[in-house]
């Protein structure tokens, strides 16, 4: 899906910093989640996917939502990206949406399945001195991400909400969680180079994959442990 939309986008004037990688240990494989993608490229990819599907893009370079975000080279670092929540296209989840999706309907627990986690449920690095129910099975020292949908699902039928790859969210990290309102917060618009990431990854210990754990990344940080997933409004 990544390569298909990427080709569609680059043939229609979109510019990307990175091509994205899929596979493990440098071996390309099409059934692995895409990684080495920065936040700005993910927004552009979401817009291109929306246009390819005949939907309204969600990201713009102006507050009036008239100029679709396709190219950031000339405007960075002062570039502001504006999100239209009235769109019907694809976008990154807000961190509130991400956390709701990760919990899978099970609230008040560390992980989507409860307070314990095992290597059969997520791809993470094990720790013998941690208290989160680590299973020191064959996946306890992984050498890369696992194939998409290879491990367990949560209560919503979603794969890899914990571990595997850390995932970009829309929100600015510097603002407190729950902005501008505590109910379904959407995060602020405007320029910011630091955005929220969620979910842990195959390099980190499981406590970094807790549903409530927040971390951050620079918008130009295309790291081999960071990927993303799309959402659409109902």
């Amino acid at each position: 899906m990544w390569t298909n939309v990427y080709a569609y986008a680059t043939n229609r004037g979109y510019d990307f910093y990175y091509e994205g990688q899929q596979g493990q240990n440098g071996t390309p494989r099409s059934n692995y989640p895409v990684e080495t993608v920065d936040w700005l490229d993910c927004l552009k990819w979401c817009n291109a996917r929306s246009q390819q599907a005949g939907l309204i893009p969600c990201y713009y370079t102006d507050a009036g939502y008239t100029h679709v975000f396709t190219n950031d080279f000339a405007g960075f670092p002062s570039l502001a990206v504006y999100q239209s929540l009235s769109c019907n296209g694809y976008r990154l989840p807000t961190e509130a949406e991400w956390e709701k999706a990760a919990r899978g309907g099970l609230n008040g627990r560390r992980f989507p399945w409860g307070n314990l986690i095992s290597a059969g449920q997520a791809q993470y690095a094990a720790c013998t001195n941690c208290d989160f129910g680590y299973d020191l099975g064959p996946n306890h020292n992984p050498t890369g991400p696992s194939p998409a949908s290879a491990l367990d699902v949560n209560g919503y039928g979603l794969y890899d909400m914990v571990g595997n790859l850390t995932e970009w969210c829309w929100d600015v990290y510097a603002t407190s969680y729950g902005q501008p309102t505590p109910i379904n917060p959407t995060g602020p618009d405007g320029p910011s180079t630091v955005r929220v990431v969620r979910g842990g990854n195959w390099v980190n210990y499981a406590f970094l994959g807790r549903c409530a754990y927040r971390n951050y990344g620079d918008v130009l940080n295309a790291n081999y442990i960071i990927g993303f997933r799309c959402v659409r409004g109902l």
Side-chain angles (χ1 to χ4, degrees):
M1 183 179 292
W2 167 266
T3 54
N4 178 280
V5 174
Y6 182 92
Y8 171 91
T10 53
N11 286 329
R12 288 162 177 80
Y14 281 81
D15 284 318
F16 293 86
Y17 279 100
Y18 303 96
E19 293 185 7
Q21 304 294 321
Q22 293 168 280
Q24 191 177 58
N25 296 328
T27 302
R29 295 175 180 172
S30 62
N31 61 329
Y32 279 70
V34 67
E35 38 93 348
T36 314
V37 287
D38 71 26
W39 184 82
L40 293 166
D41 280 352
C42 292
L43 303 192
K44 288 176 281 186
W45 189 92
C46 287
N47 275 353
R49 184 182 178 190
S50 298
Q51 291 180 320
Q52 185 184 44
L55 303 173
I56 300 172
C58 297
Y59 299 115
Y60 299 83
T61 58
D62 66 307
Y65 309 134
T66 60
H67 299 288
V68 176
F69 179 46
T70 63
N71 186 334
D72 55 74
F73 289 137
F76 188 82
S78 61
L79 173 73
V81 182
Y82 298 88
Q83 174 180 246
S84 170
L85 291 176
S86 64
C87 71
N88 63 358
Y90 296 97
R91 57 180 174 82
L92 293 183
T94 65
E95 64 171 322
E97 290 171 330
W98 188 95
E99 185 170 330
K100 181 177 178 64
R103 291 188 179 280
L106 185 63
N107 294 321
R109 300 293 185 268
R110 291 171 179 152
F111 302 106
W113 313 277
N115 286 326
L116 303 180
I117 190 172
S118 72
Q121 294 171 316
Q123 187 81 306
Y124 60 89
C127 170
T128 56
N129 297 318
C130 300
D131 65 351
F132 291 121
Y134 284 85
D135 175 350
L136 302 184
N139 287 1
H140 81 285
N141 284 312
T143 58
S146 60
S149 73
L151 299 176
D152 205 358
V153 296
N154 69 5
Y156 291 155
L158 300 174
Y159 291 92
D160 300 323
M161 296 300 300
V162 172
N164 221 26
L165 293 179
T166 298
E167 297 179 352
W168 287 112
C169 293
W170 162 255
D171 302 61
V172 175
Y173 182 79
T175 58
S176 300
Y177 185 38
Q179 300 295 323
T181 65
I183 299 175
N184 193 26
T186 57
D189 283 329
S192 175
T193 60
V194 180
R195 297 285 172 160
V196 171
V197 294
R198 290 284 201 127
N201 56 71
W202 62 270
V203 174
N204 292 143
Y205 298 143
F207 72 88
L208 297 181
R210 290 178 293 115
C211 294
Y213 184 81
R214 306 176 75 222
N215 210 332
Y216 62 90
D218 185 274
V219 295
L220 290 181
N221 179 22
N223 198 295
Y224 68 97
I225 58 173
I226 300 179
F228 74 109
R229 71 179 66 220
C230 296
V231 299
R232 283 186 63 198
L234 297 175

